[in-house]
């Protein structure tokens, strides 16, 4: 869907490239997260995809079409790509409704289609259209503004979204909620999303695919599982931090390690020590500690299908982290 | 100088109105022409292509306000002579600076993230100017127009010295004939013109700007 081929960017007046020979591919319907410290070139890559910045050399393709083609008007290209930034950038002199309607308006949608679409979008991002449509941005909380920003980017139903630290400006609780809701939305929308963050935890949570950048170079890319289980070098290890095993447990579903042959002992039933197959393994660990048990029962909806023991979890950690 | 109420009222009611009309022209025409010049020029100076000329152009506008209008009239006397035209010309040059300066300040004050987002969602440079930059800088631009109006209202009194008429004619007659009533009446009318024009502009400003963005 989106392909970068040996892309370089050197900003005028600087002799150190901001982006060096970066090549990778984002598959359709995936969230690809770029993560790395400030100045690593992740935002520059994002801004080159919608041509807010032109690459110094190399090519970028969207759906097989070269974005730098002379015949392609960059303004028109950007209208086909949703764009969300950390500072949101809502127009302060326009109401929420007018802000969300901007791209459909630029695309010259018929007036009567725009209003219902705005209501639908506000509803989708969890805002009450009757309550907020006529408000000005300054009357909203940070979290609400960010939702409006996402609604505006989704307005014309673009197949691609670029999101630059979209949830970076809100407190951790609101951020967690926005992430969850966005992932739920994405399950239905199946957009191709490029997502920039400096937070490895957010990358692991949001990404189908993670691209790790440092000093303009691509250090490693792969699924969150691949990155966590086989960090390419010490930079990636440092970025992941100390809780690698726990993060791995968050990424593994209980269903993957459930012991289906085991009987469920009576003590587990007495303590009501059960989790669901779709819960992460980490939940099994938490439940064990909370209920003071070495064993949890696993349910698939109402069906009891097996157990996970403390030893099963230890084996999983050893297998994933590759060292005993 | 003594003061007689009857003469004062006559100066206000009988003598002032025709001069006030001329005075209004001496304010409105220069401010409108100055706006038509300074506003587009200032907009151009914020575009990337023309940014490097900003200092030079602003120096010119600055000079327009430092050189006294009477000096400008004197310099251009050979071409424009005396009367209405040189007065309008000098006052226009005088009115340029506040409008140009405030337009520049207003456009530069548009938040970077708003411009970034507007460009990112696909606004062309023209759409961004018309729908984002100009509306957001309007309160500052309007403040500049108001400053120009008030400045020109006062300075236009000098128009009478070159035969352009206006309320200056009433004031200078009062000075020549030692009539305090005329001087005071002329000054009051000029003040009233400045205040009324300022209020009208405020009403327009209120219509253009959402309540929370007023200066």
């Amino acid at each position: 869907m989106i392909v970068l081929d040996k892309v370089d960017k050197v900003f005028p007046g600087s002799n150190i490239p901001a982006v060096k020979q970066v090549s990778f591919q984002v598959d359709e319907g995936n969230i690809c997260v770029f993560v790395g410290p400030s100045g690593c070139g992740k935002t520059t890559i994002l801004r080159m995809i919608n041509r807010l910045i032109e690459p110094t050399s190399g090519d970028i393709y969207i759906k097989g079409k070269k974005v730098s083609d002379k015949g392609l008007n960059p303004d028109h290209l950007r209208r086909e790509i949703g764009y969300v930034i950390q500072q949101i950038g809502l127009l302060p002199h326009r109401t929420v409704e007018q802000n969300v309607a901007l791209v459909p308006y630029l695309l010259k949608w018929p007036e009567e289609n725009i209003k219902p679409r705005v209501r639908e979008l506000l509803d989708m991002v969890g805002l009450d259209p009757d309550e907020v449509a006529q408000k000005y941005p300054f009357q909203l909380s940070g979290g609400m503004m960010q939702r409006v920003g996402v609604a505006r980017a989704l307005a014309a139903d673009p197949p691609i979204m670029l999101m630059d630290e979209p949830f970076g400006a809100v407190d951790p609780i609101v951020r967690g909620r926005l992430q969850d809701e966005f992932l739920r939305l994405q399950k239905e929308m199946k957009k191709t999303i490029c997502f920039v963050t400096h937070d490895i935890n957010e990358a692991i949570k949001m990404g189908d695919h993670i691209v790790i950048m440092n000093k303009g170079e691509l250090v490693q890319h792969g699924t969150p599982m691949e990155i966590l289980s086989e960090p390419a070098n010490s930079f990636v290890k440092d970025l992941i931090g100390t809780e690698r095993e726990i993060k791995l447990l968050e990424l593994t579903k209980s269903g993957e390690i459930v012991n289906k042959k085991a009987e469920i002992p009576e003590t587990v039933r007495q303590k009501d020590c059960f989790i669901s197959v779709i819960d992460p393994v980490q939940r099994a660990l938490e439940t064990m500690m909370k209920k003071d048990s070495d064993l949890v029962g696993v349910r698939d909806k109402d069906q009891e299908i097996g157990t996970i023991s403390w030893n099963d979890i230890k084996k999983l950690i050893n297998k994933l982290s590759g060292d005993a | 100088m003594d003061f007689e109420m009857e003469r004062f009222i006559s100066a206000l009611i009988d003598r002032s109105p025709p001069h006030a009309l001329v005075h209004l022209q001496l304010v409105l025409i220069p401010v409108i022409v100055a706006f038509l010049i300074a506003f587009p020029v200032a907009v151009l100076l914020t575009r990337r292509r023309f940014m490097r000329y900003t200092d030079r152009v602003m120096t010119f506008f600055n000079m327009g306000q430092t050189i006294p209008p009477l000096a400008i009239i004197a310099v251009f006397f050979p071409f424009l002579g005396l009367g209405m035209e040189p007065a309008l010309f000098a006052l226009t040059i005088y009115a340029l600076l506040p409008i140009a300066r405030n337009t520049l300040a207003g456009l530069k004050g548009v938040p970077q993230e708003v411009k970034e987002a507007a460009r990112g969602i696909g606004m062309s440079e023209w759409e961004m100017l018309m729908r984002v930059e100009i509306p957001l800088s309007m309160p500052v631009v309007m403040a500049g127009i108001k400053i120009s109006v008030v400045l020109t209202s006062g300075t236009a009194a000098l128009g009478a010295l070159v035969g352009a008429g206006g309320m200056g004619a009433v004031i200078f007659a009062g000075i020549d004939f030692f009539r305090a009533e005329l001087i005071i009446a002329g000054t009051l009318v000029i003040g009233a013109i400045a205040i009324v024009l300022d209020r009208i502009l405020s009403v327009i400003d209120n219509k253009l700007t959402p309540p929370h963005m007023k200066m």
Side-chain angles (χ1 to χ4, degrees):
Chain A
M1 188 74 170
I2 302 172
V3 178
L4 269 77
D5 184 21
K6 296 198 187 109
V7 172
D8 274 310
K9 176 69 196 181
V10 186
F11 284 108
S14 157
N15 39 24
I16 305 152
V19 170
K20 236 186 290 183
Q21 292 287 302
V22 168
S23 306
F24 65 87
Q25 174 176 337
V26 185
D27 294 328
E28 186 158 357
N30 266 3
I31 300 183
C32 176
V33 181
F34 303 89
V35 61
S38 334
C40 70
K42 52 193 195 295
T43 295
T44 307
I45 287 187
L46 203 71
R47 290 162 58 92
M48 284 194 285
I49 295 174
N50 68 355
R51 283 185 73 182
L52 286 171
I53 299 176
E54 303 284 353
T56 310
S57 67
D59 291 315
I60 299 173
Y61 301 87
I62 294 179
K63 285 191 202 160
K65 256 197 285 183
K66 210 196 247 186
V67 292
S68 57
D69 249 348
K70 288 240 161 49
L72 207 64
N73 178 333
D75 296 328
H76 293 173
L77 172 79
R78 287 182 208 124
R79 288 174 201 171
E80 311 283 326
I81 301 177
Y83 190 54
V84 186
I85 55 175
Q86 182 181 356
Q87 311 89 332
I88 317 172
L90 298 176
L91 303 187
H93 61 303
R94 295 275 187 253
T95 61
V96 167
E97 180 174 41
Q98 290 167 325
N99 266 290
V100 176
L102 265 176
V103 181
Y105 186 91
L106 293 175
L107 291 170
K108 303 199 167 58
W109 283 22
E111 201 81 32
E112 67 269 20
N113 294 359
I114 295 183
K115 266 204 172 178
R117 176 65 180 156
V118 170
R119 292 184 70 85
E120 183 191 339
L121 283 160
L122 289 175
D123 206 46
M124 211 157 97
V125 298
L127 294 169
D128 177 5
D130 293 315
E131 196 197 316
V132 300
Q134 299 310 321
K135 282 192 172 159
Y136 286 99
F138 83 105
Q139 293 168 300
L140 307 178
S141 69
M144 287 163 101
M145 280 197 238
Q146 208 48 271
R147 287 164 195 263
V148 176
V150 172
R152 177 176 66 182
L154 289 170
D157 205 14
I160 297 172
M161 300 256 288
L162 305 179
M163 309 179 83
D164 191 351
E165 307 217 14
F167 310 130
V170 290
D171 63 75
I173 296 170
V174 176
R175 188 184 311 148
R177 204 181 305 148
L178 288 175
Q179 289 167 343
D180 292 338
E181 288 179 33
F182 189 76
L183 285 173
R184 186 175 46 75
L185 265 180
Q186 166 67 0
K187 266 196 186 139
E188 298 157 27
M189 303 188 304
K190 300 250 182 290
K191 305 262 181 225
T192 306
I193 297 170
C194 294
F195 190 110
V196 162
T197 179
H198 61 261
D199 176 1
I200 185 74
N201 294 320
E202 186 171 44
I204 292 167
K205 182 173 178 182
M206 305 299 286
D208 298 309
H209 198 87
I210 295 179
V211 172
I212 295 180
M213 306 270 309
N214 188 29
K215 294 180 184 154
E217 283 179 279
L218 193 156
V219 181
Q220 187 179 6
H221 67 115
T223 64
M225 194 53 124
E226 285 164 2
I227 304 264
L228 282 177
S229 49
E230 290 159 48
N233 56 23
S234 60
F235 172 79
V236 180
K237 258 186 209 151
D238 288 345
L239 194 69
I240 294 168
T242 49
E243 295 157 351
R244 185 155 75 101
E245 285 78 12
I246 296 183
K247 284 167 191 159
L248 279 167
L249 294 184
E250 280 173 36
L251 282 173
T252 314
K253 297 260 180 292
S254 304
E256 290 172 34
I257 62 162
V258 63
N259 196 343
K260 284 189 181 165
K261 285 173 200 131
E263 282 282 309
I264 296 174
E266 206 46 43
T267 48
V268 167
R269 281 214 187 81
Q270 274 166 10
K271 289 180 185 164
D272 189 28
C273 198
F274 281 100
I275 58 167
S276 156
V277 275
I278 55 164
D279 282 335
V281 174
Q282 195 206 2
R283 178 67 58 79
L285 202 58
E286 283 167 10
T287 314
M288 282 180 196
M289 287 196 250
K290 218 185 286 169
K291 307 274 182 174
D292 190 22
S293 162
D294 286 343
L295 203 65
V296 288
V298 180
R299 282 181 181 142
D300 189 356
K301 289 177 189 133
D302 290 332
Q303 205 87 41
E304 289 170 4
I305 61 164
T307 63
I308 293 176
S309 70
W310 172 228
N311 266 329
D312 293 332
I313 296 178
K314 269 205 287 199
K315 261 188 255 163
L316 173 75
I317 293 176
N318 288 343
K319 195 182 94 192
L320 290 176
S321 52
D323 40 48
Chain B
M1 257 190 274
D2 35 75
F3 183 87
E4 273 179 39
M5 203 58 195
E6 216 170 292
R7 273 208 210 132
F8 173 67
I9 289 167
S10 149
L12 266 185
I13 294 173
D14 304 326
R15 192 151 180 172
S16 292
H19 292 293
L21 277 182
V22 175
H23 198 88
L24 210 52
Q25 287 175 31
L26 282 174
V27 177
L28 288 182
I29 296 172
V31 170
I32 290 169
V33 175
F35 175 78
L36 292 178
I37 296 168
F39 184 74
V41 167
V43 169
L44 278 182
L45 290 178
T46 58
R47 302 302 99 183
R48 201 174 293 166
R49 267 156 288 160
F50 298 102
M51 235 170 230
R52 58 207 160 103
Y53 302 113
T54 306
D55 282 349
R56 268 172 273 176
V57 176
M58 288 312 285
T59 307
F60 170 77
F61 286 154
N62 263 314
M63 268 162 42
Q65 214 177 36
T66 355
I67 302 170
L70 277 179
I72 294 177
I73 291 172
V75 170
F76 285 89
F77 175 71
F79 313 101
L80 295 168
L82 291 175
M84 200 71 174
E85 287 86 5
L88 288 176
F89 178 74
L91 289 170
T92 302
I93 290 182
Y94 192 66
L96 286 170
L97 180 70
I99 300 177
R101 198 173 39 199
N102 276 42
T103 306
L104 272 184
L107 289 170
K108 285 193 176 152
V110 175
Q112 198 54 45
E113 72 267 16
V114 174
K115 288 197 272 188
E116 159 91 9
R119 217 156 90 76
I121 63 171
M123 281 194 178
S124 64
E125 198 180 346
W126 177 251
E127 282 162 340
M128 182 131 104
L129 181 67
M130 297 310 285
R131 326 202 119 258
V132 180
E133 294 177 88
I134 290 180
L136 282 179
S137 55
M138 222 48 217
V140 188
V141 176
M142 286 302 280
I145 298 175
K146 284 187 200 170
I147 297 171
S148 262
V149 163
V150 172
L151 278 177
T152 313
S153 298
T155 315
L158 297 174
L161 293 179
V162 293
M167 287 314 294
V170 179
I171 295 175
F172 288 120
I175 294 172
D176 290 345
F177 299 110
F178 289 102
R179 285 279 167 77
E181 301 88 350
L182 290 178
I183 299 173
I184 295 171
T187 315
L188 282 178
V189 173
I190 290 178
I193 288 175
I195 290 171
V196 169
L197 289 178
D198 185 74
R199 290 323 303 161
I200 293 174
L201 286 170
S202 294
V203 171
I204 298 174
D205 193 11
N206 279 343
K207 289 248 160 70
L208 288 175
T209 321
H212 63 281
M213 290 182 55
K214 301 240 157 67
M215 296 247 310

